[in-house]
Amino acid sequence: MSSLSHLGRSARAINATLPRASVVRVATNVAPRRTLLTLATAARRQGAVLAQKTSAFNKTTSQTALRAFSTSLPSLDDAEEESEDPTKAERYADETDVVIVGGGPAGLSAAIKLKQLANADGRELRVVLVEKAGEIGAHTLSGAVLEPRALNELIPDWKEKGAPLNQPALEDHMKLFTKNYAIPLPHPPQMNNTGNYIVSLSNYVKWLGEQAEEAGVEVFPGFAASEILYNEDGSVKGIATNDVGLDKNFKPKDDFERGMEFHAKVTLFAEGCHGSLTKKLFRQFNLRDECDPQTYGIGIKEVWKIDPKKSKPGTVVHAMGWPIDNSTYGGAFIYHMGEDMLSLGLVVGLDYENPYLHPYKEFQRWKHHPYVKDLLEGGECLSYGARAINEGGLQSIPKLYFPGGALIGCTAGFLNLIKIKGTHTAMKSGMLAAESAYAAITSDKYEEDKPIVLEDFEQKVKDSWIWKELKEIRNCRPSFHTPLGNLGGVLYSGIDTILLKGRTPWTFHNTTPDHERLRVATNAQKIDYPKPDGVISFDLLTSVSRTGTNHAEDQPVHLRLKNKDIPVERNLKIYDGPEGRFCPAGVYEFVDDESAPAGTQRLQINSQNCIHCKTCDIKDPSQNIDWTVPEGGGGPQYVYT
């Protein structure tokens, strides 16, 4: 459990025993963010372990001691007196050496590496990591078969430290699904999983979070970074978290708290695929000017407890074919995790053309294939989730640095699509960024009034095994964009990966963004999906209930429409309303508009269902949906994923 969580309980205990005037007010029904950060910062500066400091506070009842401790931060009541509008009050700003946005594999690896370097040199280096999920790992979802290459470099004694890599991959199978058969196929050498581990990535990330805190990283879950801060010279100064306690009309409620600012010498963005702040950085610094458009997939996954007689721990199965048609990129996975647990899912390329395609329903239909159904019968579905993934590869990687910071992990796009793995490359990118940031901060040439530019970080990536991996398979994904469709892509990719190994003088390109590939509805064939049976396949809301998703209903909708008329006037008229189909969580639906003439519809946004997959922001053909962060701590609460 994070130090922030410990302090949260202590702060509420303190409020209960002390006069109100003696402490900064801590709301008990929201994350006491500003107060607790002040407590954590003070404890760090005094060289005390946070838990010990908390214990000391619980034993202290003197007004004097707490007044002395809280003088660095005015109470919210004082701020409200100074400004009639508390949303305009000055935000509390915290200074740090490095701030990292995102607590996934890349962000945590960067944080750990920074502290390892500083600790080895006996230097004081403050590293702060903010994560929008209520706890580290809660928003993390992947297949996943983990290649431990980067982990071996970062934490060589990970076995002794209890890393949750418990099930080695023992067998690999590749299959072509027809409607009724599973035909064995040879698989590319890159898909060989010898030495890898079948894991729950959410549990693995939780463990990385523990390692980060032990190394001295200040980890703050429940803090949603919503704004990039800039210096006067245009360089990145840090980030700000969003205000909490606003109602749906952006008006402050009784529990309102102003967001916080984190100012840093270096800001590393590790938001994951299609990050909400990363989008702004692309535009601000023209980071995508010299690369191809990114192309994406939507991965939909379930975790089952199956009949022990059917469990084959360590078995890895990848499949292609039915129910995906030849013009749509996609594939499936089945991983036997051990302890009779089965991880299975379907990935559909978001460059699909048919607006009637429904990725979630394709996945539910896929589970009724005889090969899959036989595994699931007699079992129980425990968990569900979905997320977008980067598929563009080498050609779609943007410029990685800008004045004041850098992009790491999936927010930049280092997924190795042929391996179907991105955790190891994400971790390595974070480690390389940490090395560059540490060298720049501790350099004799460092000047406080000049921004740090991590130009050498990009070169480090190009000199690393990340680049070698991605260069070797760079032509595989674009090869599916030919008149031969999946058949042509499979044939070319097989030749390229097995024989040529990427040693070709040509490079194919990703030419068209995913949102521009939808055909108009009049030129597309409707798809008749079978109804779920409630045993093997499930309706959407049942699946969403298995994500643990929760958002406070009375808060601003974090899925923002740039123009409220476009969903009906363009998307519904031209594409027959694809929003209700590409979302894997039932967020969007067209309903009768009771305020308009009969037969008129409107787009209803059920934002409380959102599982933070970002698919809507990617696939909306009008690019009218802007996915932004909700209040920190909201969203899915994934387990086993």
Side-chain angles (χ1 to χ4, degrees):
M1 181 175 292
S2 73
S3 54
L4 187 62
S5 301
H6 286 298
L7 285 169
R9 292 198 297 270
S10 297
R12 287 186 279 275
I14 292 169
N15 278 355
T17 58
L18 296 173
R20 178 183 174 88
S22 65
V23 295
V24 177
R25 180 163 68 90
V26 178
T28 58
N29 58 341
V30 297
R33 307 181 321 161
R34 297 188 305 170
T35 302
L36 295 185
L37 187 67
T38 305
L39 293 175
T41 301
R44 178 186 59 80
R45 288 172 180 166
Q46 293 173 17
V49 176
L50 292 174
Q52 294 173 335
K53 196 69 178 176
T54 301
S55 176
F57 287 147
N58 285 340
K59 296 176 181 177
T60 303
T61 56
S62 121
Q63 292 187 21
T64 305
L66 283 172
R67 277 197 183 117
F69 191 76
S70 63
T71 52
S72 62
L73 180 65
S75 72
L76 188 59
D77 289 342
D78 293 337
E80 290 170 349
E81 291 174 3
E82 294 172 6
S83 170
E84 294 182 0
D85 183 359
T87 65
K88 304 299 182 184
E90 183 178 358
R91 292 183 292 215
Y92 171 64
D94 196 26
E95 301 286 340
T96 184
D97 292 305
V98 180
V99 63
I100 300 171
V101 182
L108 289 165
S109 296
I112 292 168
K113 187 65 177 179
L114 280 162
K115 292 302 291 186
Q116 286 177 341
L117 293 169
N119 294 341
D121 287 349
R123 286 181 177 269
E124 175 69 22
L125 184 81
R126 189 177 180 212
V127 180
V128 169
L129 183 147
V130 297
E131 162 59 36
K132 62 184 176 64
E135 62 177 284
I136 296 298
H139 288 180
T140 301
L141 178 141
S142 184
V145 178
L146 177 71
E147 181 176 321
R149 185 174 187 175
L151 178 61
N152 289 335
E153 296 178 15
L154 182 66
I155 308 174
D157 58 343
W158 55 265
K159 289 184 179 180
E160 291 76 12
K161 290 181 178 293
L165 279 65
N166 302 316
Q167 180 56 62
L170 302 175
E171 296 182 26
D172 280 295
H173 301 274
M174 184 76 181
K175 297 185 181 295
L176 173 65
F177 276 15
T178 64
K179 187 173 182 179
N180 295 309
Y181 297 99
I183 303 169
L185 292 176
H187 60 76
Q190 292 87 346
M191 296 183 72
N192 188 328
N193 284 294
T194 301
N196 298 335
Y197 294 82
I198 302 173
V199 302
S200 159
L201 196 64
S202 60
N203 287 340
Y204 174 68
V205 166
K206 289 176 185 177
W207 176 82
L208 280 179
E210 295 169 359
Q211 306 313 301
E213 287 197 319
E214 287 181 10
V217 179
E218 296 175 43
V219 180
F220 295 115
F223 282 57
S226 61
E227 181 182 347
I228 304 166
L229 305 176
Y230 297 96
N231 292 303
E232 291 183 3
D233 62 5
S235 61
V236 170
K237 182 180 184 179
I239 56 95
T241 63
N242 57 4
D243 295 343
V244 297
L246 293 172
D247 66 19
K248 61 184 179 180
N249 297 314
F250 294 87
K251 300 296 183 183
K253 298 183 289 190
D254 290 342
D255 59 0
F256 173 78
E257 271 194 280
R258 193 77 166 97
M260 299 173 52
E261 296 185 3
F262 292 87
H263 301 171
K265 298 169 184 174
V266 173
T267 304
L268 300 179
F269 291 84
E271 296 181 284
C273 178
H274 206 67
S276 55
L277 296 184
T278 301
K279 294 184 303 181
K280 299 177 181 178
L281 291 168
F282 287 157
R283 296 189 292 267
Q284 179 71 18
F285 295 106
N286 302 314
L287 301 180
R288 299 205 65 88
D289 281 4
E290 298 182 10
C291 67
D292 291 358
Q294 184 60 266
T295 186
Y296 301 88
I298 173 68
I300 303 174
K301 169 181 177 174
E302 291 176 351
V303 178
W304 283 63
K305 186 81 169 180
I306 62 171
D307 183 340
K309 297 177 182 178
K310 301 176 181 180
S311 181
K312 299 178 181 179
T315 300
V316 174
V317 180
H318 291 110
M320 56 184 301
W322 187 90
I324 304 298
D325 62 47
N326 189 54
S327 64
T328 302
Y329 183 84
F333 62 88
I334 302 170
Y335 302 151
H336 290 255
M337 303 172 69
E339 298 182 354
D340 305 328
M341 302 282 279
L342 190 73
S343 171
L344 72 164
L346 181 72
V347 178
V348 177
L350 287 178
D351 54 355
Y352 67 80
E353 298 178 351
N354 189 342
Y356 291 109
L357 190 146
H358 198 308
Y360 174 82
K361 290 184 178 180
E362 293 287 352
F363 173 53
Q364 297 304 316
R365 177 162 64 171
W366 172 80
K367 289 189 295 176
H368 282 274
H369 187 281
Y371 181 90
V372 184
K373 184 179 180 181
D374 179 67
L375 286 171
L376 301 182
E377 286 180 331
E380 177 188 6
C381 182
L382 303 178
S383 187
Y384 165 81
R387 58 164 289 188
I389 61 174
N390 302 292
E391 293 186 346
L394 192 75
Q395 299 91 309
S396 296
I397 294 175
K399 184 178 179 180
L400 299 176
Y401 65 92
F402 44 84
L407 307 176
I408 59 177
C410 287
T411 211
F414 295 115
L415 177 79
N416 184 323
L417 190 61
I418 299 303
K419 283 188 174 182
I420 320 178
K421 293 176 183 60
T423 301
H424 66 302
T425 50
M427 290 179 65
K428 181 64 174 179
S429 71
M431 293 155 62
L432 294 174
E435 291 173 0
S436 294
Y438 181 76
I441 291 170
T442 59
S443 171
D444 293 338
K445 298 179 180 179
Y446 170 69
E447 299 179 48
E448 286 192 8
D449 59 344
K450 292 184 179 180
I452 288 176
V453 181
L454 299 180
E455 188 171 0
D456 69 316
F457 163 55
E458 186 164 280
Q459 191 58 49
K460 280 177 175 286
V461 171
K462 291 180 178 179
D463 293 339
S464 74
W465 49 260
I466 296 175
W467 208 257
K468 181 179 182 297
E469 276 195 20
L470 298 184
K471 185 175 182 180
E472 187 174 296
I473 54 97
R474 70 191 183 281
N475 286 326
C476 293
R477 181 64 174 92
S479 72
F480 285 76
H481 289 150
T482 72
L484 293 177
N486 287 347
L487 177 60
V490 169
L491 290 174
Y492 178 85
S493 297
I495 294 170
D496 198 19
T497 56
I498 296 173
L499 300 177
L500 303 177
K501 298 187 182 298
R503 297 188 296 264
T504 55
W506 59 80
T507 296
F508 301 152
H509 290 278
N510 305 306
T511 58
T512 307
D514 293 343
H515 68 271
E516 293 182 7
R517 289 191 174 272
L518 275 186
R519 296 196 300 266
V520 299
T522 53
N523 295 334
Q525 183 176 356
K526 290 187 177 181
I527 302 175
D528 183 23
Y529 290 102
K531 292 184 179 180
D533 64 3
V535 179
I536 300 298
S537 53
F538 309 99
D539 65 83
L540 189 53
L541 293 183
T542 296
S543 291
V544 172
S545 71
R546 294 187 175 119
T547 67
T549 296
N550 182 58
H551 297 89
E553 290 195 22
D554 190 17
Q555 67 169 295
V557 174
H558 65 281
L559 304 156
R560 313 278 168 81
L561 298 180
K562 299 172 186 176
N563 184 322
K564 65 181 180 62
D565 298 324
I566 282 180
V568 171
E569 294 300 318
R570 186 170 190 270
N571 288 6
L572 186 60
K573 285 184 177 180
I574 299 175
Y575 303 103
D576 203 11
E579 294 93 329
R581 293 183 287 275
F582 58 57
C583 173
V587 171
Y588 302 97
E589 59 179 330
F590 285 92
V591 298
D592 291 336
D593 189 347
E594 298 177 355
S595 65
T600 303
Q601 291 192 300
R602 64 179 176 83
L603 180 66
Q604 178 168 295
I605 300 178
N606 307 307
S607 59
Q608 67 274 17
N609 286 2
C610 179
I611 57 176
H612 298 202
C613 73
K614 320 287 181 64
T615 304
C616 57
D617 196 310
I618 295 166
K619 191 58 177 175
D620 175 14
S622 301
Q623 288 296 278
N624 188 49
I625 299 173
D626 183 23
W627 193 98
T628 64
V629 289
E631 287 189 1
Q637 184 71 29
Y638 286 140
V639 292
Y640 308 122
T641 59

